[in-house]
Amino acid sequence: MTAVPAPIALDPLARDNAAEGALLRAAGPAVPVVLPGGVAAWAVTRHAAARDLLTDARLVKDARHWAAYQRGEVPKTWPLIGLAVPGPSMVTTDGAEHRRLRALVAQAFTPRRVELMRPRVEEITHALLDGLAAGERVVDLKTAFAFPLPMTVICSLLGVPESDHGLLRDLYERFFGIKPDPGGIQATVAGLNAFVNGLVAQRRSAPGEDLASVLLAADTEGGALTDAEAAATLRVIIAAGHETTVNLIGNAVRALLAHPDQLELVRSGRVSWDAVVEESLRWTPPTSNFLFRFTAADIEVGELVIPAGEPVLVSYNAIGRDPLQHGVTAELFDVTRDPTRHLSFGHGPHVCPGSPLARLEAGIALPALFERFPGLSLAVPDGDLRPSPSLVVNSLLELPVRLW
């Protein structure tokens, strides 16, 4: 076995996702990293290694296998603790328990059910575009379009009123970000928990026809959701139901505006918008790094061994541009690329069940946006765009554009 390389520090406050991915990928298929607060972990950086590990039963979601956390070495005030050790849901369980919890959610996001949502997604999209057309020439496209579209869709499914959308955006932006205040994450998690606990209580007392009510009423072989499981599941659904799509839409718009030759291929009909969605997911994935899985036993990755008890993150920054999977042009944004499977929605038992909805929303939003505003352009130089200070999401703080 080869010697373990020196750990690489990941700094969320100086984000260059492509550079970080290249640095990690060059260091090997599995690399020790240091996260904010001095928390040690391992990053998986190659497509083949990630594909293998994400189906390896020795790599689990149960934080009881995280040795340093169990020893009390990772404080509950660590800014990323809410992502690393969330509540009991399909995200944090394995085996039969995971299958039970996932089955209740997956039934709402089958390709057939998602396709039935197309008219509603189109309606929301065109209403937002009408609002843009009636407003200012220069807007923050993230705030005015990329965020409200998926948030409105997922909240419509759950029966959450529009008056709560702003609160949820603020809570989730703080949840995924890095804040210097050690008490900030506790307040954010408490706010999210209060919201989903309230939603569970409302639907228990007055169920409706929304997805939240359906989940609470559903039963599987292992039993119905407890209140704690329901709250954690709803928190996951709201997060996954909007954050990925916000970033997918924003990153795709930015990539197309930075590559006008690629945009022209799509506008001319020579390349499909589906190809744009998939290339955007690969080239600039909505999730930078996914926290955490844990080694329940020693696992060999190439010539290295990740010891039992270690946290492992999947670096989609690195994997999406792996030349061993995507060829020598992996660093290029190319919508004509031959279809090559990416892992930006995960792989294996924990693959994202909401991926059909994200693809539907982006596949409707992008062509509608560029058709309504054919002169769309960035309102600032691309180099002036500011990334969100997060280890987890690949997002911009804002996306200022000139509509015409």
Side-chain angles (χ1 to χ4, degrees):
M1 294 295 169
T2 188
V4 176
I8 295 174
L10 302 185
D11 180 9
L13 300 180
R15 303 303 293 150
D16 184 337
N17 287 316
E20 176 190 277
L23 177 67
L24 291 172
R25 194 170 55 247
V31 183
V33 294
V34 179
L35 307 184
V39 173
W42 289 76
V44 183
T45 70
R46 307 275 179 84
H47 180 101
R51 187 176 174 87
D52 289 343
L53 285 171
L54 292 176
T55 55
D56 192 320
R58 296 171 297 175
L59 195 65
V60 301
K61 300 289 287 187
D62 188 342
R64 286 177 295 183
H65 291 278
W66 186 4
Y69 181 70
Q70 297 303 323
R71 292 193 299 264
E73 297 170 7
V74 181
K76 289 183 169 54
T77 55
W78 184 48
L80 294 172
I81 199 69
L83 285 161
V85 190
S89 73
M90 65 180 183
V91 173
T92 59
T93 52
D94 303 285
E97 184 66 1
H98 169 254
R99 289 191 292 272
R100 177 180 77 87
L101 296 172
R102 183 184 174 88
L104 295 168
V105 175
Q107 64 185 350
F109 296 105
T110 64
R112 178 179 175 276
R113 287 181 180 269
V114 167
E115 184 58 32
L116 292 174
M117 296 166 60
R118 180 179 292 274
R120 177 60 174 148
V121 175
E122 291 175 339
E123 177 187 2
I124 295 169
T125 297
H126 291 295
L128 289 170
L129 294 176
D130 288 344
L132 288 175
E136 300 293 327
R137 183 184 180 192
V138 175
V139 299
D140 172 12
L141 198 68
K142 179 176 180 179
T143 296
F145 185 67
F147 168 78
L149 171 57
M151 180 58 84
T152 302
V153 171
I154 199 66
C155 285
S156 294
L157 280 174
L158 295 172
V160 174
E162 186 175 352
S163 57
D164 287 328
H165 295 188
L167 168 66
L168 288 172
R169 175 178 180 173
D170 178 62
L171 286 170
Y172 277 106
E173 285 189 341
R174 287 191 276 127
F175 183 71
F176 287 116
I178 295 287
K179 299 293 183 183
D181 176 14
I185 185 59
Q186 292 179 313
T188 298
V189 171
L192 285 170
N193 286 339
F195 183 88
V196 293
N197 288 336
L199 184 58
V200 169
Q202 291 170 12
R203 296 302 185 271
R204 290 286 195 205
S205 62
E209 297 182 356
D210 54 86
L211 178 58
S213 298
V214 171
L215 287 172
L216 289 169
D219 202 352
T220 64
E221 186 175 339
L225 291 173
T226 66
D227 282 358
E229 290 171 341
T233 297
L234 288 171
R235 197 172 75 183
V236 169
I237 289 175
I238 296 171
H242 85 279
E243 185 67 35
T244 298
T245 309
V246 172
N247 302 341
L248 171 55
I249 293 172
N251 293 345
V253 169
R254 180 186 187 183
L256 289 169
L257 294 180
H259 299 83
D261 57 325
Q262 303 288 296
L263 177 57
E264 179 54 32
L265 289 172
V266 187
R267 280 179 157 157
S268 68
R270 286 174 282 174
V271 176
S272 71
W273 283 100
D274 287 344
V276 172
V277 171
E278 297 308 313
E279 180 65 351
S280 297
L281 286 166
R282 178 199 73 82
W283 192 69
T284 178
T287 301
S288 298
N289 300 289
F290 197 96
L291 310 180
F292 267 145
R293 288 169 172 80
F294 309 97
T295 50
D298 292 356
I299 301 179
E300 293 185 10
V301 183
E303 297 183 350
L304 289 174
V305 173
I306 304 178
E310 292 291 292
V312 177
L313 62 87
V314 181
S315 175
Y316 293 112
N317 285 336
I319 292 167
R321 301 192 188 188
D322 183 356
L324 296 177
Q325 171 68 12
H326 302 290
V328 295
T329 63
E331 288 289 342
L332 302 180
F333 179 74
D334 181 6
V335 296
T336 69
R337 186 181 304 278
D338 290 337
T340 53
R341 182 176 173 82
H342 60 75
L343 301 177
S344 295
F345 282 122
H347 179 64
H350 286 275
V351 66
C352 177
S355 59
L357 180 58
R359 286 184 165 104
L360 176 74
E361 290 173 331
I364 290 172
L366 292 170
L369 173 68
F370 281 96
E371 180 179 354
R372 180 69 70 92
F373 302 109
L376 186 73
S377 63
L378 288 179
V380 299
D382 183 87
D384 290 348
L385 295 174
R386 299 184 299 160
S388 295
S390 172
L391 277 177
V392 179
V393 297
N394 180 13
S395 180
L396 295 168
L397 286 174
E398 60 275 313
L399 182 55
V401 297
R402 187 171 291 104
L403 296 174
W404 60 83

